[in-house]
Amino acid sequence: AASDAIKEFMVSYRDNFPNASVTPKLHIMEEHVIPWMRRWHSGCGLMGEQGAESVHAHLKRLEDRCGVVNKLQNLLCVVKDHNLEASPTLNSLRPETKRRKTNN
């Protein structure tokens, strides 16, 4: 089973590299992959580096759009905008923005 293979790998890793630290990826594999697979009945492929990079790029765009100098206020703005964009229910509650009239 996958859980046994991960356990064996980590034992081997620690035995063969006793001074090496457990990297974040190894920690995720050891502590979070099996519970994820049990909960979602699939692997973590969709949440790999490409998915993480996509999320990071999205959050960076939100951060740039918020443009608040205060880090806490900027973070609050990013989280608020992300929640509005990611949740169809919340997004449907977003007030409609009025377009400015142009002088043509």
Side-chain angles (χ1 to χ4, degrees):
S3 60
D4 294 332
I6 291 172
K7 287 176 189 173
E8 287 178 31
F9 174 81
M10 291 306 295
V11 166
S12 176
Y13 178 81
R14 288 185 173 103
D15 287 348
N16 289 296
F17 306 101
N19 296 323
S21 63
V22 173
T23 65
K25 288 183 183 180
L26 289 176
H27 166 76
I28 289 169
M29 181 181 69
E30 184 176 33
E31 298 294 330
H32 304 290
V33 167
I34 298 302
W36 171 281
M37 291 172 69
R38 287 184 180 135
R39 179 174 183 182
W40 301 108
H41 307 286
S42 70
C44 300
L46 294 175
M47 295 305 295
E49 284 189 52
Q50 188 174 5
E53 287 300 320
S54 173
V55 168
H56 180 261
H58 173 73
L59 292 176
K60 179 69 176 134
R61 279 192 304 275
L62 290 175
E63 184 177 301
D64 291 344
R65 187 168 69 196
C66 288
V68 179
V69 176
N70 177 294
K71 286 190 180 277
L72 177 59
Q73 292 298 319
N74 200 38
L75 180 59
L76 290 171
C77 178
V78 167
V79 170
K80 177 183 167 191
D81 278 8
H82 173 71
N83 284 337
L84 285 171
E85 288 183 11
S87 171
T89 303
L90 289 176
N91 202 15
S92 70
L93 299 174
R94 179 185 278 192
E96 191 174 319
T97 56
K98 296 180 181 177
R99 294 184 178 240
R100 293 183 184 179
K101 293 182 181 179
T102 58
N103 295 329
N104 289 338

